[in-house]
């Protein structure tokens, strides 16, 4: 038998031992819980029987008080009767509850006898109470001798010589049951501990032998592995160098494309949601819209995976500037951002005061930078608030500001918000979380346009993302 098969055999034996030990411990826990329930049920019944003993004595005293002291003590007799009936009801319920804790027919036979004893006690008490009622009626009619005779023969005598022995026997049986259950618990506990100890020792022995065999196998194959590792390591170094060069060129593309496509997909899903909230007359339209939304959700998950795969360092992407009016870019971004904002009940307001200024810009890339800022503003805006995107013109530059009414940016986060993969301390509380790559992409886009970007807090609260871009030659046209 080879070392491998020996190891497999010992591992299986160890697994069997561990499973067996786990089963024994689980059985022990189940049995302990069963015993606790059983002892608790027996104890509850014992308490009710002890209470019944006191109630019976109080009942006899109250009937005697009425016969001796007159009808003024009658309310106490009624109270004693009610207490007796309630106690018998609790005793019946406690006896039935005790039956539910039993595990087999052999255990149920004695408990069924106890249930029969309860029935006998109730019937006996009702007979005694009927006699007490006759005695009280005789006393009320002035027949003291008859009342005394009935009380002594049919009430006091039967309480002491018929009902009380039943109560005393039930108390003794409950004490014996508690003692027997405790003794069984101790015996079972000892057996489980012995079996668990044996299994533990067996598992330890098997695991020790398994460890020795593994050590020998590893030591014998160590030299062969070292030589193989040395050869493979040099090959991996060369391969890693080549892959790193390829990876640098593609990771920036993956990151930016993933982030750029996520927003159109969100817009698509928002448009589908709007359509689904309507009342289309054709079922096929609803089914089609539902499929659109499902595809958008799936593609969003795929793009999230692409973002996770992307890394930080990469070469610049293609940049195709043209002479474009700034308000056209801002308007297009605001229109798409409104779709993102509607599910959160946020309004997007435009305030354009740049007088039709022109900039040299790549329309798609600059709009992407604005959408990143608007997307972040939507995520951080509370429901019912508004986002303002404004534009203005300076002497040599144009400014676009995106202001929200959210919590703003903390002093701790502000220096790092444009770092790739940095996520602020409050990002974990957002419903929609990103990877912290959006503002880094926006910064790269703006700087490629020769501009600058910054994130500050507004005077009235919230965050303000400001983009400054150089004017095109000729300024406004």
């Amino acid at each position: 038998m080879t070392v491998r098969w020996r190891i497999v055999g010992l591992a299986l034996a160890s697994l069997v031992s561990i499973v067996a030990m786990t089963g024994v411990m689980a059985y022990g826990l189940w049995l302990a819980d069963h015993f606790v329930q059983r002892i608790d049920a027996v104890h509850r019944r014992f308490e009710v029987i002890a209470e019944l003993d006191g109630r019976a004595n109080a009942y006899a005293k109250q009937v005697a008080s009425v016969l001796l002291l007159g009808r003024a003590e009658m309310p106490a007799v009624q109270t004693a009767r009610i207490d007796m009936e309630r106690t018998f009801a609790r005793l019946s319920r406690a006896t039935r509850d005790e039956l539910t804790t039993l595990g087999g027919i052999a255990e149920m036979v004695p408990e069924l006898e106890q249930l029969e004893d309860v029935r006998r006690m109730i019937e006996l008490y009702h007979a005694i109470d009927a006699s007490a009622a006759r005695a009280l009626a005789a006393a009320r009619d002035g027949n003291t001798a008859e009342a005394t005779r009935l009380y002594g023969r049919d009430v006091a005598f039967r309480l002491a010589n018929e009902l009380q022995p039943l109560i005393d026997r039930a108390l003794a049986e409950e004490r014996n049951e508690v003692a027997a259950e405790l003794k069984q618990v101790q015996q079972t506990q000892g057996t489980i501990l012995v079996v668990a100890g044996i299994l533990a020792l067996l598992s330890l022995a098997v695991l020790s032998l398994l460890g020795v065999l593994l050590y020998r196998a590893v030591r014998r194959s160590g030299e062969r592995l070292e030589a193989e590792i040395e050869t493979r390591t040099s090959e991996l170094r060369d391969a890693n160098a080549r892959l790193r060069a390829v990876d640098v060129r593609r990771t920036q593309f993956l990151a930016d494309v993933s982030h750029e496509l996520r927003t159109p997909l969100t817009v698509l899903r928002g448009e589908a949601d709007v359509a689904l909230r309507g009342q289309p007359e054709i079922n096929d339209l609803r089914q089609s819209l539902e499929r659109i939304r499902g595809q958008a959700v799936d593609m969003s998950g795929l793009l999230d995976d692409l973002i996770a795969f992307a890394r930080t360092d990469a070469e610049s992407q293609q940049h195709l500037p043209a002479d474009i009016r700034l308000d056209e870019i801002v308007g297009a971004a605001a229109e798409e951002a409104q779709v993102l904002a509607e599910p959160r009940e946020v309004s997007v307001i435009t305030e354009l005061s740049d007088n039709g200024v022109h900039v040299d810009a790549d329309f798609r890339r600059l709009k992407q930078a604005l959408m990143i800022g608007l997307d972040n503003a939507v995520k951080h805006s509370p429901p019912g608030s508004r986002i303002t995107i404004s534009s203005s013109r300076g002497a040599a530059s144009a400014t676009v500001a995106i202001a929200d009414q959210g919590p703003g940016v903390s002093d701790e986060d502000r220096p790092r918000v444009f770092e790739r993969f940095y996520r602020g301390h409050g990002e974990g509380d957002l419903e929609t979380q990103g990877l912290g790559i959006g503002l880094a992409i926006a910064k790269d886009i703006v700087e490629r346009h020769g501009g600058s970007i910054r994130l500050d807090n507004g005077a009235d609260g919230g965050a303000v993302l400001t983009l400054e871009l150089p004017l095109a030659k000729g300024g406004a046209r």
Side-chain angles (χ1 to χ4, degrees):
M1 182 181 292
T2 63
V3 174
R4 177 182 298 176
W5 286 110
R6 291 177 183 175
I7 293 174
V8 171
L10 288 173
L12 290 175
S14 176
L15 180 61
V16 170
S17 300
I18 293 173
V19 170
M21 185 169 60
T22 303
V24 170
M25 297 304 295
Y27 173 73
L29 292 174
W30 174 84
L31 201 59
D33 182 66
H34 172 73
F35 282 136
V36 168
Q37 293 180 5
R38 174 69 176 149
I39 293 174
D40 185 56
V42 173
H43 181 67
R44 286 199 302 270
R45 188 170 185 272
F46 177 82
E47 289 181 337
V48 177
I49 295 173
E51 181 182 349
L52 179 63
D53 188 17
R55 298 293 187 192
N57 292 330
Y59 170 79
K61 290 178 182 179
Q62 295 302 330
V63 174
S65 296
V66 173
L67 295 177
L68 293 174
L69 302 177
R71 301 289 295 179
E73 299 298 322
M74 194 62 190
V77 173
Q78 297 299 333
T79 301
R81 284 173 169 169
I82 293 173
D83 290 341
M84 286 291 289
E85 293 290 347
R86 289 177 176 174
T87 306
F88 274 122
R90 290 177 55 200
L91 179 58
S92 299
R93 185 167 58 252
T95 304
R96 288 193 297 270
D97 291 343
E98 187 177 344
L99 283 171
T100 62
T101 64
L102 301 177
I105 190 65
E107 295 180 351
M108 286 188 178
V109 172
E111 298 301 328
L112 292 174
E113 294 177 358
Q114 291 181 357
L115 195 61
E116 178 64 20
D117 288 342
V118 172
R119 186 188 63 79
R120 290 176 56 196
M121 280 190 268
I122 294 173
E123 291 179 352
L124 181 58
Y125 162 71
H126 287 158
I128 293 172
D129 188 53
S131 299
R134 290 195 298 271
L136 293 173
R140 182 192 60 200
D141 297 337
N143 194 350
T144 305
E146 178 65 14
T148 303
R149 185 184 66 81
L150 287 172
Y151 176 79
R153 184 191 68 185
D154 294 336
V155 178
F157 179 83
R158 298 190 73 181
L159 281 172
N161 294 279
E162 296 182 27
L163 182 59
Q164 189 63 45
L166 290 175
I167 294 175
D168 293 340
R169 187 177 72 179
L171 287 171
E173 289 176 351
E174 295 305 308
R175 291 193 187 97
N176 293 335
E177 281 192 45
V178 171
E181 292 292 338
L182 291 175
K183 183 178 180 181
Q184 187 175 0
V185 167
Q186 294 173 352
Q187 293 175 349
T188 305
Q189 184 181 28
T191 303
I192 290 175
L193 289 175
V194 170
V195 174
I198 294 173
L199 290 174
L201 291 175
L202 180 61
S203 299
L204 181 61
V206 173
L207 288 173
S208 299
L209 184 57
L210 178 61
V212 171
L213 291 177
L214 285 173
Y215 172 74
R216 290 179 179 178
V218 170
R219 186 180 62 182
R220 290 175 183 176
S221 60
E223 295 179 356
R224 295 194 301 270
L225 288 175
E226 288 178 1
E228 184 70 18
I229 289 172
E230 184 64 27
T231 302
R232 298 300 180 187
T233 300
S234 60
E235 296 176 355
L236 286 174
R237 288 195 192 100
D238 297 337
N240 283 336
R242 294 192 297 269
L243 288 174
R244 196 176 297 112
V246 174
D247 190 52
V248 168
R249 291 192 298 270
R250 70 178 181 178
T251 51
Q252 179 67 44
F253 173 78
L254 289 174
D256 291 357
V257 168
S258 298
H259 197 283
E260 182 178 3
L261 290 180
R262 181 197 292 165
T263 300
L265 282 172
T266 306
V267 174
L268 176 62
R269 186 169 55 188
E271 294 287 0
D273 287 337
V274 171
L276 288 173
R277 288 199 298 267
Q279 297 181 356
E281 298 179 358
I282 304 176
N283 292 332
D284 292 341
L285 174 59
R286 175 170 291 275
Q287 294 174 2
S288 177
L289 290 174
E290 289 174 348
R291 287 194 294 270
I292 290 174
R293 189 179 189 278
Q295 289 296 323
V297 171
D298 294 339
M299 293 181 69
S300 293
L302 175 61
L303 290 175
D304 286 339
D305 293 338
L306 289 174
I307 291 176
F309 175 76
R311 296 191 177 94
T312 56
D313 298 327
E315 298 174 355
S316 297
Q317 294 186 21
Q318 188 177 19
H319 179 61
L320 301 174
D323 191 334
I324 301 173
R325 282 179 54 136
L326 181 61
D327 56 3
E328 293 179 355
I329 304 176
V330 174
E335 185 175 336
E336 292 186 9
Q338 186 60 52
V339 178
L340 301 177
E342 284 180 358
R344 294 182 58 85
E345 299 180 358
V346 176
S347 300
V348 179
I349 308 300
T350 57
E351 295 179 357
L352 306 179
S353 56
D354 54 35
N355 297 322
V357 68
H358 285 238
V359 293
D360 288 326
D362 184 326
F363 187 99
R364 183 180 62 86
R365 299 291 286 161
L366 187 56
K367 188 184 77 168
Q368 178 190 3
L370 294 176
M371 287 303 298
I372 290 172
L374 289 166
D375 185 43
N376 283 342
V378 170
K379 292 177 182 177
H380 292 85
S381 294
S385 63
R386 69 176 187 175
I387 298 169
T388 303
I389 177 169
S390 60
S391 64
S392 60
R393 174 180 177 175
S397 64
T399 301
V400 179
I402 300 172
D404 61 54
Q405 295 178 329
V409 57
S410 66
D411 294 337
E412 183 180 0
D413 293 333
R414 189 179 297 144
R416 303 188 59 190
V417 292
F418 293 104
E419 293 180 12
R420 284 186 179 271
F421 303 108
Y422 177 76
R423 299 173 68 244
H425 292 79
E427 291 292 315
D429 298 331
L430 297 178
E431 295 180 2
T432 304
Q433 302 178 18
L435 293 176
I437 196 173
L439 288 177
I441 295 174
K443 182 174 183 291
D444 180 68
I445 293 172
V446 172
E447 289 178 349
R448 266 186 265 151
H449 283 78
S452 62
I453 185 171
R454 65 181 184 273
L455 182 64
D456 301 299
N457 288 321
D460 298 327
V464 180
L465 182 69
T466 305
L467 290 72
E468 287 192 14
L469 301 166
L471 298 178
K473 294 180 181 180
R477 302 299 173 86

